[in-house]
Amino acid sequence: MSDKPNPAAQPRSIVILTGAGISAESGVPTFRGPDGLWEGHRVEDVATPEAFARDPDLVQSFYDARRAALGGVKPNAAHQALGRLDAAFDGDLLIVTQNVDDLHERGGARRLLHMHGELLRASCTVCGVRQPAPAVLREGAACESCEAGGTLRPDIVWFGEMPHGMGHIEAALADADLFVSIGTSGAVYPAAGFVRTAAAYGARTLELNLEPSEGTALFDEARHGPATRLVPAWADEILGCNSPPGRAPNPD
Ligand code: OAD
């Protein structure tokens, strides 16, 4: 294990992990609300391969409704701040999101990896090819690249399935000198373990969350409050640090 970077030093490689909390102020419900239900369903009834095998209509309808709801929400100041950071930060950056909405993209993020999949994509139940999702999957959409006549399922990583991009994420965590976790409860692995991995490789770790997460004690620093307040302020700090000498962002 190496020494922690000096907190005042300019980071050159940042990994950001986001969860449902960053989209909450856009009106997208988080998973672990007070009633423990996700849009009225138990997670295991809509987010497992077994649920899909048992009742494909229920699962397809559930994600069709989530996909349709994207049209009614907009990126908030936290998504936009990460988009700004992505455009202006000249070091290495990877934004890993557990969210399946498209609000990071609409907020301008480009160096982005959807580890739990995307509502706007589908995958073939036979050949596995990932492709843009039609608006409605319940009717049994056909795969565009499959000669075996496969049909499409949501490109969502369900419980018991392997998240996307783990090799890429682990390499970025090993190289990071700053790891920032935003709006996630720290309840679901492997994402909940990223803070330990980053720290083991010597990164400084920062939590930005409405309240202390399950893993809050693992972070070097935790700031608590709404993402729309915390994230723009933190992005400004980084971009201030990252400005070339003599070009401080706040000349006043
Ligand atoms: P959770 O619902 O578990 O946690 C959301 C976190 O966001 C909580 O810690 C809240 O305190 C925090 N939060 C809520 N509003 C916030 C705000 N305005 N600003 C900042 N923080 C806020 O969601 P995730 O941690 O993303 O997986 O859940 C992880 C995974 O569990 C999801 O990706 C999903 C789910 O099952 C799959 O579907 C595979």
Side-chain angles (χ1 to χ4, degrees), residues 8-241:
Q10 175 179 331
R12 57 171 182 81
S13 179
I14 305 175
V15 176
I16 299 170
L17 171 69
T18 70
I22 198 168
S23 295
E25 290 164 85
S26 291
V28 181
T30 59
F31 293 93
R32 291 171 182 79
D35 58 4
L37 297 178
W38 182 19
E39 299 274 323
H41 294 274
R42 295 186 314 154
V43 163
E44 53 272 35
D45 288 339
V46 289
T48 63
E50 293 76 17
F52 186 56
R54 197 167 52 236
D55 193 344
D57 272 7
L58 170 73
V59 174
Q60 296 281 31
S61 304
F62 178 78
Y63 289 100
D64 283 348
R66 307 276 76 69
R67 190 177 309 106
L70 291 182
V73 296
K74 293 194 179 119
N76 64 45
H79 300 105
Q80 284 158 349
L82 295 189
R84 210 157 33 83
L85 182 70
D86 189 337
F89 181 67
D90 59 12
D92 291 331
L93 175 73
L94 180 63
I95 301 169
V96 180
T97 187
Q98 298 167 90
N99 298 345
V100 296
D101 63 51
D102 64 341
L103 294 177
H104 278 306
E105 288 89 334
R106 287 198 264 151
R110 295 291 172 265
R111 291 180 271 181
L112 176 69
L113 194 158
H114 279 275
M115 67 177 289
H116 288 168
E118 298 171 60
L119 282 168
L120 294 179
R121 296 184 70 79
S123 63
C124 177
T125 52
V126 175
C127 71
V129 167
R130 300 169 71 194
Q131 51 204 280
V136 176
L137 283 176
R138 184 171 175 206
E139 314 294 328
C143 172
E144 289 193 349
S145 58
C146 180
E147 303 199 341
T151 53
L152 299 181
R153 57 162 270 186
D155 178 32
I156 302 291
V157 176
W158 288 325
F159 284 93
E161 297 182 324
M162 178 65 86
H164 298 305
M166 287 306 296
H168 185 174
I169 296 168
E170 273 160 22
L173 289 170
D175 195 43
D177 46 25
L178 178 60
F179 171 76
V180 185
S181 173
I182 303 173
T184 176
S185 60
V188 174
Y189 282 81
F194 292 171
V195 58
R196 284 185 199 275
T197 306
Y201 280 105
R204 226 166 54 76
T205 56
L206 169 66
E207 169 169 280
L208 304 177
N209 205 54
L210 190 60
E211 61 205 354
S213 72
E214 289 185 23
T216 197
L218 300 170
F219 289 84
D220 295 315
E221 183 187 349
R223 301 178 191 175
H224 297 131
T228 53
R229 176 166 62 78
L230 297 183
V231 179
W234 169 73
D236 284 348
E237 282 171 31
I238 295 295
L239 292 175
C241 285

